Amino acid sequence: MNEKLEPGLYIVATPIGNLSDLSPRAAAVLSGADLIAVEDSRVTAKLLGRLGVKRPMAPYHDHNAERVRPGLIARMAAEAVALVSDAGTPLISDPGYKLVRDARAAGIPVTTIPGPCAAVAALTLAGLPTDRFAFLGFLPSKSGARTAAIAEAAGFRGTLVFYESGPRLGAALAALAEGLGDRQAAVVREISKRFEETVAGPLSQLAGRFSEAPPKGEIVIVVGPPAEAPGATQADLDEALIEAMSRLSPSRAAAEVAERLGLKRRDAYERAQQLK
Ligand code: SAM
């Protein structure tokens, strides 16, 4: 299995619960890497143990990244360096983007081995629209900052995805219900593990349920888009376009108004042409 890899940086996704989700390509790269940059060597040693391989590991995490990054980049010029996180896809609420940035800047080839990611897996379970979504990682733990982050997300006309922990889940759901209105949502827990569970419902109902009994395990919150605004009338459109065209070109005005009123940009642009 130890095939010789070309020098460079290899971003390797690992399972988020079920070890069978490690892809054969991920296994081949981990087996063949000259060095594996890891968040926690104990976690990755277990995974390598399951593969029956031993490879040199170097810690790469939030606390030492600045210091060790130049050395890792230097090694990539002549060796295959893999990056893994404890679980899932590196760089997604995990360290790694600066390593990729600096590797690219140094002309080092970067290859990704795609695989499990809790945010994407939760989207596939939630039964909420997936055509447009925003991933917001972990909400801030302080309530003021959390309220501000939710207010910022409230205008996005798509599905929202958050990572969360059990003890904070009830408060997070209550803050989401308060800041976003009582949207449809899903709490997705322990994906690909024995106690995998998806509970769907309005945010207020989920907040009630999970503040009484904080769940164990790893959690993703998925929140559906805002309800469609009641259709804008022709008068609303005209008024908004005339105001926007006093500041902007017709095409920029049409784009802004279409986004705000939930209309097609082409329709708003046609009307802008008639009004200008
Ligand atoms: N890089 C990872 C990924 O690709 O999903 C995420 C790392 S982040 C530090 C860890 C968070 O991801 C957990 O706190 C939880 O919110 C979510 N998570 C990870 N594994 C999960 C699972 N099996 N089920 C539900 N959520 C999970």
Side-chain angles (χ1 to χ4, degrees):
M1 189 99 143
N2 276 24
E3 97 193 33
K4 186 72 195 143
L5 295 169
E6 293 297 320
L9 172 60
Y10 294 79
I11 307 299
V12 183
T14 59
I16 55 171
N18 188 326
L19 282 177
S20 303
D21 293 337
L22 187 82
S23 74
R25 189 167 167 237
V29 168
L30 292 179
S31 305
D34 296 302
L35 178 70
I36 307 177
V38 300
E39 260 192 294
D40 183 335
S41 54
R42 288 162 303 182
V43 174
T44 304
K46 266 192 209 157
L47 181 68
L48 295 181
R50 295 293 288 254
L51 296 176
V53 297
K54 276 202 169 136
R55 304 306 306 148
M57 290 184 272
Y60 184 78
H61 46 64
D62 289 341
H63 305 294
N64 74 350
E66 295 300 318
R67 185 166 48 81
V68 304
R69 198 180 307 122
L72 287 173
I73 300 285
R75 288 191 67 168
M76 288 169 202
E79 293 178 294
V81 177
L83 173 71
V84 297
S85 54
D86 285 351
T89 300
L91 283 78
I92 308 300
S93 284
D94 270 333
Y97 96 83
K98 290 180 181 170
L99 199 61
V100 173
R101 179 195 65 189
D102 291 3
R104 288 206 176 287
I108 286 162
V110 181
T111 305
T112 195
I113 318 310
C117 173
V120 173
L123 276 165
T124 68
L125 289 166
L128 292 164
T130 51
D131 54 332
R132 227 174 168 220
F133 63 86
F135 171 64
L136 287 102
F138 291 93
L139 281 167
S141 51
K142 295 209 170 116
S143 80
R146 183 172 59 200
T147 303
I150 293 171
E152 202 181 323
F156 177 68
R157 304 181 67 80
T159 292
L160 302 169
V161 184
F162 303 92
Y163 285 163
E164 199 42 275
S165 70
R168 300 185 348 162
L169 180 64
L173 289 166
L176 287 166
E178 171 83 22
L180 302 176
D182 205 9
R183 298 191 196 175
Q184 283 299 316
V187 170
V188 186
R189 212 167 61 79
E190 295 287 87
I191 299 165
S192 76
K193 301 186 199 176
R194 182 154 170 230
F195 295 108
E196 178 178 313
E197 176 186 58
T198 300
V199 184
L203 276 169
S204 62
Q205 194 179 308
L206 295 175
R209 169 172 175 157
F210 288 110
S211 55
E212 278 162 25
K216 292 206 168 69
E218 301 197 277
I219 294 159
V220 183
I221 304 174
V222 186
V223 183
E228 281 300 309
T233 64
Q234 184 74 37
D236 293 335
L237 174 60
D238 289 359
E239 188 186 336
L241 280 173
I242 289 164
E243 186 283 319
M245 282 195 296
S246 70
R247 299 180 279 113
L248 301 167
S249 69
S251 78
R252 282 175 171 261
E256 181 189 288
V257 168
E259 173 74 20
R260 179 146 44 93
L261 299 184
L263 299 171
K264 286 199 180 120
R265 194 181 279 213
R266 199 185 51 208
D267 294 345
Y269 184 67
E270 270 174 23
R271 187 63 185 152
Q273 292 296 330
Q274 291 162 0
L275 290 175
K276 86 173 175 194

